[in-house]
Structure formats: C-alpha cells, structure tokens
Amino acid sequence: MSSISLDKSNSHVVVIGAGIGGLTAGALLAHRGYSVLILDQALVPGGCASTFKRQGFTFDVGATQVAGLEPGGIHHRIFSELSIDLPQATPCDPACAVYLPGESTPINVWRDQEKWQEERQKQFPGSEPFWQLMATLFDASWEFQGRDPVLPPRNLWDLWQLTQAVRPSTLITVPFTLFTVGDALRLCGLGNDRRLRTFLDLQLKLYSQVDAENTALLYAATALSVSQLPQGLFHLQGSMQVLSDRLVQSLERDGGKLLMRHTVEQIKVENGKATAVVIRNQKTGEVWTEAADHIVSNVTVQNLVQLLGEQAPSGYKNRVEKLPQASGAFVVYLGVDASAIPPECSPHLQFLYDVNGPIGENNSLFVSVSHPGDGRAPEGKATIIASSFVDPAQWWQTEDYEGLKEKFTQEAIARLAQYFYLKPETIIHQEAATPRTFAHFTARDRGIVGGIGQRIPTFGPFGFANRTPIQNLWLVGDSTHPGEGTAGVSYSALTVVRQIEA
C-alpha cells in the first residue's frame, strides 16, 4: 500500500468515463492520495457492466460474468488494496454450455480441470495435443502476467517492468507470439477439424471479438483457460452493478468525486501535454474547463481520437482509422415466468444455429439466465439475456431503425424458443438494445463493444499502450492490454495507476 503524501494530494487527476476501468483507476488513485474527479455522461456508473430495472427484474446491460475474484485474481487484489469487500458470487460451473447446430447435447466447459479434459476428449477426439499446447502457454502467460508487465512498453520504466516479468519458464511463449489459433490447429494436425473449429470460433468471438483464424494464440490461451480452477468465472449476487457501487463507495470514502450526467467534450493539449478537459453539465447546459495534472481516458481509442480533435497526433489517428470495424451488440432482455426455463438449465449458454452462417447477426446467441435467489428476478420468475455480435454499420445506415430492431427481436425470440418455453403467457417483459442504444447510454463510438479485437497487430505487445503519445494522457479500458472484461479493464487501470505513480 502506498502512503499518502502532500505532493499527491495536490496532484489532480480527471478520469473520463465511469466504466469499471475508470472507476478502478479513480478509486486506486484516490486511495493512494490523489485528488480525483470522475466524469460520465450516463445516468448510472458501470458502463457496459451496469444494470437497469424493469417490473421487478434486474438486467445486466452487457457483461454478465466476472473473472478475477479468486485469491490473487485482479479484482481480489484491487479490492484488498482498497479495503472493501468482494461482492458475493457463485462460480460458473459449467462456465458455458455450448450448443452446436443440430445438436441437443451441449459441450460443457467445466470448471474442474479433469472434468473439462474428459469432456473435450469425448467431444473432440484427437484434439488433446492442441489443448495441452494451450495449457502450457497459459501457465507461462499467467505466470508472466502475474508479475505485472507493462505491454506494450513506451519508455524505459515500462520496459523495465516488462523485463522484470520475464523468467526462463515464461520464454516458451516467445516462438508463438505471431501465431494465431488457426496456426496452432494446423500445427497439431487439426486444421480440418470443422467441429472443433466451430466451437473455438464461438468461444473466441466472446472473448477476443474475432474467430480462431484471426485470434492471437497467446491471448486465446488465457481466454480459453481462465474458466478452469484455480481461476474461474463468477456470477455476482444481485447484479453486475455491485462491482461499480463498491468502487464508487471506495472512491468517495477516499475523497474522490464522481459526477454523472456530465459529458467531456474535449481534451485540451498544450506543448504535447494534456492539461485540461472541457465539461458540459447535461442538466444545466453549463460548460467549463477543468485543469488536470493527469487525464485518464476510460473510453474507446476511437473516442479518444475524437476528444483530441485537431490535437490528435497524426500517426496515432491514422492507426485508429485503419483498425478493422469493431463489433456492436444486439441484446434481447426478457423477464419471464420460471416455467419458461428448462430444468437443470446452465446459467450461461451459447447457441449456433447455422454452421455456414456468420458468428453473430442472430445466428449465434450468448445467453445468461438468472437463477433463483440471485437477486435478478422476483420469486417464481427469471431473466434471460441473449446477445449477438452485429456489424454496427447497418444500425446507423438503415432508413427503418425500428423495423430492423423489431425484425432482430422476433428472430432472436424465435431462436431462443427452440430451447426455452417462450409464449405470450410466459414472457412478462421484453426489450432490446442495439449498437445505437449502446452509443446513447455509454457514448462508445458507434456503440461498439468488447474492444478492438485480439488479432496479432492489436494484442499485447503490438496493441495500444496505456501511455498515449501525449504526455499525462492515459488510456484504460478494452482498447488496451489485456483486453475486454471487467478483469481486463481493471488490470489496465492498475497499470496506469502504477505508471502515474512512477
């Protein structure tokens, strides 16, 4: 724990965005003695991990699972430093039940390593060399990541942190740095295993935004292994909002300030250094400039370039403009009678409907189902949240937005009805969110979710650094290492806090 010193309390940090990354950075900096102001244009904190309520149901907006709650996990570490209690949670076991087209028996991603090994050997005979390679790379990557490397490094201090994290046992990952999952499948003689490839495409799209052919192997090794013990995925008691609420309490206890319904319209730069932000109070329309010693942006890298405007360095701006189109999400939120849920239903399911169709666009759905007593539904009721990745472009270009939304909603419900008992009498509440909804409530550029995609040119050592080309301007969130998810963005926040301290 860092002691509070006078020079820190005179150091003013403005954080743009009260998603989990921004709240974590703000809470840690306030706890370490900095003067912190967090600004967000939304009604409630949490960003894509926030919550809304309807007719007694509580719906998680986007994220529904949490990693990093186990001892030594990133949330555990951060909550311990902040002296706040971890939220109550139940382990997801299986982490996901995956249904491939035309199959009625799921592939269960079990939490127990031996059970998961047994499952995958039964489901994908002959694939064990691939899984063993993944396990070896995961162990080395996890050991490396556990020493808090800074990726990608941008100065000598960053480079020193990176070299400190390297051990002979972690060097096994080096030859695989430029491999994709597709390369690894071919290396293991599994390049033509269509069923395994389909399963990996589905799972990786959730974590890396891209399919097996394009996902960086070292990223996938962690994404595909983190749901097993001693790590694991967790379902929070109450809702995902608990995470944000506790971080806000910590921030305010330590003298930090959070202003919701306040939009940052511009980042001011003088002589290559970020100096202030221009803020608009949405309720009163008042506009003012807030000077800052450091500005932490918990926004997409696309939004960051927009906030900089003419001040955006041309090379940085060009790189952002050349990024492949990130995904948006279409989400259906259903409040249902408990009779709509099949017995023994897994809390997290994934469906693919047509093996030749796209992963997304309602052809694949990731589904989260509440369970009795988890605080998301009244007694005898349940929530079903089904999301699909979509190309955001059509949602902005369409001339009949409401018609497109209705078409997607009915299509998703019809597909869900193949598994759940969904009839007018069992559906109590239904609504949907599109990329335009996400853009409205989270201000993320075009409503994109889940980061920029973990391809070789954008993951880890080749991705966007927390340290931007502008002095005292920092980037946290899913556009930076190690990527999406509450654990990923919290890790990026911790990195920025360490960099500011240094």
Side-chain angles (χ1 to χ4, degrees), residues 41-164:
Q41 55 89 53
L43 290 162
V44 292
C48 290
S50 63
T51 301
F52 65 94
K53 289 180 164 53
R54 298 281 189 272
Q55 292 179 250
F57 295 99
T58 298
F59 295 102
D60 293 322
V61 168
T64 57
Q65 295 173 319
V66 179
L69 294 182
E70 73 282 352
I74 189 69
H75 288 307
H76 187 275
R77 284 175 59 191
I78 286 165
F79 277 50
S80 299
E81 172 171 342
L82 296 173
S83 302
I84 50 177
D85 292 334
L86 274 175
Q88 278 183 290
T90 47
C92 298
D93 194 20
C96 200
V98 181
Y99 288 84
L100 297 184
E103 298 184 13
S104 57
T105 307
I107 301 159
N108 286 307
V109 182
W110 298 108
R111 191 162 184 248
D112 180 88
Q113 290 195 24
E114 284 178 18
K115 237 173 128 180
W116 169 228
Q117 184 174 16
E118 212 172 284
E119 177 86 13
R120 68 194 187 224
Q121 285 175 350
K122 183 180 80 183
Q123 297 280 358
F124 311 111
S127 68
E128 204 50 30
F130 169 78
W131 296 107
Q132 290 305 325
L133 172 63
M134 297 302 266
T136 303
L137 294 175
F138 170 68
D139 289 343
S141 299
W142 196 255
E143 185 193 340
F144 171 70
Q145 191 65 34
R147 296 197 185 93
D148 297 341
V150 173
L151 283 171
R154 287 290 180 265
N155 70 3
L156 285 173
W157 186 86
D158 293 356
L159 191 61
W160 177 243
Q161 302 308 307
L162 179 59
T163 53
Q164 289 288 90

Side-chain angles (χ1 to χ4, degrees), residues 37 45 56 110 167 184 236 242 249 255 311 314 361 374 388 415 461 469 494 497:
L37 171 65
W110 298 108
R167 297 286 186 281
L236 293 183
V242 185
Q249 285 164 9
Q311 305 282 352
S314 58
E361 304 296 338
D374 71 0
S388 187
R415 292 196 148 156
L494 179 62
V497 170

Side-chain angles (χ1 to χ4, degrees), residues 34 157 161 467 496-502:
Y34 292 82
W157 186 86
Q161 302 308 307
R467 201 184 287 276
V496 163
V497 170
R498 292 171 58 229
Q499 288 172 316
I500 289 173
E501 290 254 87

Side-chain angles (χ1 to χ4, degrees), residues 130-373:
F130 169 78
W131 296 107
Q132 290 305 325
L133 172 63
M134 297 302 266
T136 303
L137 294 175
F138 170 68
D139 289 343
S141 299
W142 196 255
E143 185 193 340
F144 171 70
Q145 191 65 34
R147 296 197 185 93
D148 297 341
V150 173
L151 283 171
R154 287 290 180 265
N155 70 3
L156 285 173
W157 186 86
D158 293 356
L159 191 61
W160 177 243
Q161 302 308 307
L162 179 59
T163 53
Q164 289 288 90
V166 176
R167 297 286 186 281
S169 55
T170 61
L171 292 174
I172 192 167
T173 61
V174 174
F176 295 97
T177 306
L178 299 177
F179 271 58
T180 67
V181 176
D183 295 330
L185 286 169
R186 286 184 284 276
L187 181 73
C188 298
L190 297 161
N192 296 322
D193 189 330
R194 184 78 186 271
R195 192 163 173 275
L196 174 60
R197 173 73 67 120
T198 303
F199 170 77
L200 291 171
D201 282 346
L202 263 181
Q203 284 278 283
L204 288 169
K205 184 74 178 170
L206 277 182
Y207 302 120
S208 70
Q209 306 294 309
V210 286
D211 61 13
E213 196 51 57
N214 292 292
T215 300
L217 180 63
L218 295 183
Y219 179 85
T222 298
L224 293 172
S225 305
V226 82
S227 41
Q228 274 78 52
L229 285 163
Q231 289 79 36
L233 297 176
F234 296 86
H235 180 77
L236 293 183
Q237 180 66 26
S239 74
M240 289 294 288
Q241 196 70 42
V242 185
L243 221 49
S244 316
D245 290 347
R246 298 214 172 166
L247 290 166
V248 171
Q249 285 164 9
S250 172
L251 169 82
E252 292 176 341
R253 176 200 67 198
D254 292 329
K257 204 168 165 189
L258 169 65
L259 295 178
M260 300 305 295
R261 304 298 308 278
H262 282 71
T263 304
V264 173
E265 299 193 328
Q266 190 192 344
I267 295 170
K268 288 192 171 283
V269 180
E270 286 171 29
N271 305 322
K273 190 185 272 193
T275 57
V277 293
V278 177
I279 302 163
R280 177 183 295 274
N281 179 329
Q282 290 180 11
K283 286 178 277 194
T284 65
E286 180 197 357
V287 176
W288 80 95
T289 300
E290 179 90 12
D293 298 294
H294 294 276
I295 297 168
V296 176
S297 303
N298 179 209
V299 299
T300 68
V301 73
Q302 293 89 342
N303 284 100
L304 181 60
V305 166
Q306 291 163 18
L307 286 169
L308 287 166
E310 309 260 298
Q311 305 282 352
S314 58
Y316 198 74
K317 188 178 176 185
N318 290 343
R319 188 181 175 199
V320 172
E321 284 169 356
K322 285 182 183 151
L323 285 171
Q325 173 60 60
S327 292
F330 175 78
V331 190
V332 173
Y333 306 96
L334 300 176
V336 299
D337 190 82
S339 62
I341 312 294
E344 306 299 310
C345 176
S346 177
H348 298 283
L349 310 115
Q350 210 174 8
F351 297 97
L352 181 66
Y353 297 98
D354 173 6
V355 78
N356 298 310
I359 301 255
E361 304 296 338
N362 262 356
N363 182 46
S364 63
L365 291 171
F366 176 67
V367 185
S368 297
V369 184
S370 65
H371 24 107

Side-chain angles (χ1 to χ4, degrees), residues 447-458:
I448 59 176
V449 294
I452 53 178
Q454 298 288 338
R455 299 169 179 85
I456 299 291
T458 47

Side-chain angles (χ1 to χ4, degrees), residues 382-424:
T383 63
I384 300 172
I385 302 170
S387 59
S388 187
F389 290 106
V390 291
D391 177 358
Q394 64 175 324
W395 294 92
W396 296 94
Q397 291 160 3
T398 177
E399 287 175 11
D400 181 15
Y401 171 70
E402 289 303 330
L404 184 62
K405 189 175 173 181
E406 182 60 19
K407 173 183 169 282
F408 263 73
T409 302
Q410 293 313 322
E411 203 174 73
I413 290 173
R415 292 196 148 156
L416 290 168
Q418 295 172 29
Y419 181 82
F420 299 97
Y421 182 70
L422 297 179
K423 294 278 183 270

